[in-house]
Amino acid sequence: MVCVIMKELNKQTGVTMLRDYQLKLKNDIYSQFRNGKKYVLAQLATGGGKTYVFCSISKQMADAGKRVLILVHRTELSQQTVKTLSSLGVDAKEFNAKTKQLGEVTVAMVETIKRNSNSDKLANHTFDLIIIDETHLGNFFAVFEMFKESRIIGFSATPISAQKKKPLNKFYDVMVQGISINELIESGKLCKCKTIAPKLIDRNNLSEDNLSGDFSDESQMMEFGDSRVYGGILEAYQLHNDRQKAVIFCVNTIHSKEMAEYFVSKGYNARH
């Protein structure tokens, strides 16, 4: 979840054409399918635009009369993906608990598909291609069993499974690797990173989630949700980036909303 601080709300329409490195990744994925691979893991660095890549693949498949299912892990991402596909002229539908719509390209959350695995709509619907976004999260295992006839592409910037006992190479036949962050910076596609690290929390107070191996939401909220941390983040923002656009990555939805409310209370145009 993120809290965004803005000068003003901007609207963006349309989708840019694929860049050379995005097109290469797309073609490398196709090459693996031509070589007989069925399950392909695609790695592309953060900021590389993997959403554009899999939306381009989806459009090409839809134009060829094929059915595509895109799986994401957040409602916001589902809506964003449908919007991006629609701007490309694709008949994209969001399959959720309320609508259960199916299109040339269907976008859904992984958990929604698993909960509706026995529904008539899904039982009578086949997908030629399934795309799993953020596949390293490890919440997709049932999908391989549900759609055994489908080709699958898993996308991730960090292709290391969150579930250590279920590495990705147990599910995917091959991995294709995209451009690195350093290459993106050197080519001018990403800005050079400058890291500033205020010491606001005590990592010793963070506990690990046994299932995912990540720090638990509960322990993170105990640390990051403290009022002194909010104040410290505001102070660092004012010192290094005051009144400029910024993105604050938060623990969860509650934390993001609280962070936005805190910045609003201090006179900033912030949104969850």
Side-chain angles (χ1 to χ4, degrees):
M1 290 295 112
V2 296
C3 159
V4 184
I5 305 163
M6 302 159 288
K7 287 182 177 178
E8 60 184 42
L9 291 171
N10 294 320
K11 292 184 178 179
Q12 181 177 349
T13 57
V15 178
T16 58
M17 297 292 290
L18 289 186
R19 292 172 171 170
D20 53 355
Y21 66 86
Q22 294 170 331
L23 184 59
K24 181 181 183 303
L25 180 66
K26 177 180 171 180
N27 289 335
D28 287 346
I29 293 169
Y30 288 166
S31 292
Q32 294 301 330
F33 284 147
R34 286 194 295 271
N35 290 337
K37 305 300 184 184
K38 188 176 180 182
Y39 306 131
V40 179
L41 175 59
Q43 185 274 336
L44 184 59
T46 300
K50 58 185 172 61
T51 301
Y52 289 148
V53 177
F54 67 65
C55 283
S56 176
I57 291 172
S58 300
K59 174 175 171 53
Q60 197 164 6
M61 292 288 288
D63 288 347
K66 305 295 184 181
R67 291 173 172 174
V68 181
L69 172 64
I70 300 175
L71 297 174
V72 297
H73 70 292
R74 299 282 189 193
T75 302
E76 297 86 353
L77 294 175
S78 179
Q79 295 168 349
Q80 173 190 317
T81 303
V82 169
K83 184 177 179 180
T84 301
L85 288 164
S86 297
S87 73
L88 289 170
V90 177
D91 172 32
K93 295 289 190 299
E94 187 177 6
F95 187 98
N96 56 41
K98 292 182 179 178
T99 63
K100 292 185 172 61
Q101 298 181 89
L102 296 169
E104 292 177 333
V105 178
T106 302
V107 185
M109 291 177 61
V110 175
E111 297 303 322
T112 302
I113 292 297
K114 288 195 289 190
R115 284 196 300 269
N116 289 272
S117 60
N118 296 320
S119 69
D120 291 338
K121 274 203 168 185
L122 286 181
N124 297 318
H125 199 84
T126 58
F127 297 102
D128 300 286
L129 176 68
I130 295 174
I131 293 171
I132 304 172
D133 189 25
E134 305 292 1
T135 193
H136 63 274
L137 294 175
N139 57 353
F140 62 86
F141 306 123
V143 174
F144 280 75
E145 289 298 317
M146 289 171 58
F147 304 103
K148 293 182 178 180
E149 301 304 316
S150 304
R151 288 178 173 175
I152 296 178
I153 308 171
F155 278 84
S156 176
T158 53
I160 300 175
S161 178
Q163 297 195 34
K164 297 175 182 178
K165 294 182 179 180
K166 294 183 178 180
L168 297 179
N169 62 9
K170 285 191 174 183
F171 298 90
Y172 292 99
D173 301 322
V174 66
M175 182 176 81
V176 295
Q177 189 168 353
I179 193 170
S180 69
I181 288 180
N182 285 340
E183 290 171 319
L184 285 169
I185 293 172
E186 289 168 4
S187 64
K189 303 298 191 303
L190 285 182
C191 297
K192 191 171 183 179
C193 178
K194 179 181 179 182
T195 303
I196 302 160
K199 294 182 179 179
L200 300 175
I201 66 162
D202 184 353
R203 288 173 61 95
N204 292 322
N205 292 333
L206 299 175
S207 59
E208 188 175 291
D209 183 280
N210 293 328
L211 182 60
S212 69
D214 293 331
F215 292 127
S216 69
D217 275 14
E218 292 79 8
S219 66
Q220 289 187 77
M221 279 299 292
M222 288 293 292
E223 278 296 295
F224 290 99
D226 191 284
S227 59
R228 63 179 173 78
V229 176
Y230 287 174
I233 292 173
L234 174 62
E235 183 180 334
Y237 170 72
Q238 291 172 329
L239 179 63
H240 300 288
N241 202 53
D242 197 30
R243 300 295 170 180
Q244 301 300 309
K245 290 184 180 180
V247 177
I248 302 175
F249 287 88
C250 300
V251 176
N252 52 32
T253 302
I254 294 172
H255 188 215
S256 178
K257 289 179 177 178
E258 288 181 356
M259 185 70 71
E261 289 171 2
Y262 181 80
F263 270 83
V264 168
S265 73
K266 300 301 180 180
Y268 289 89
N269 179 19
R271 298 286 188 276
H272 160 66

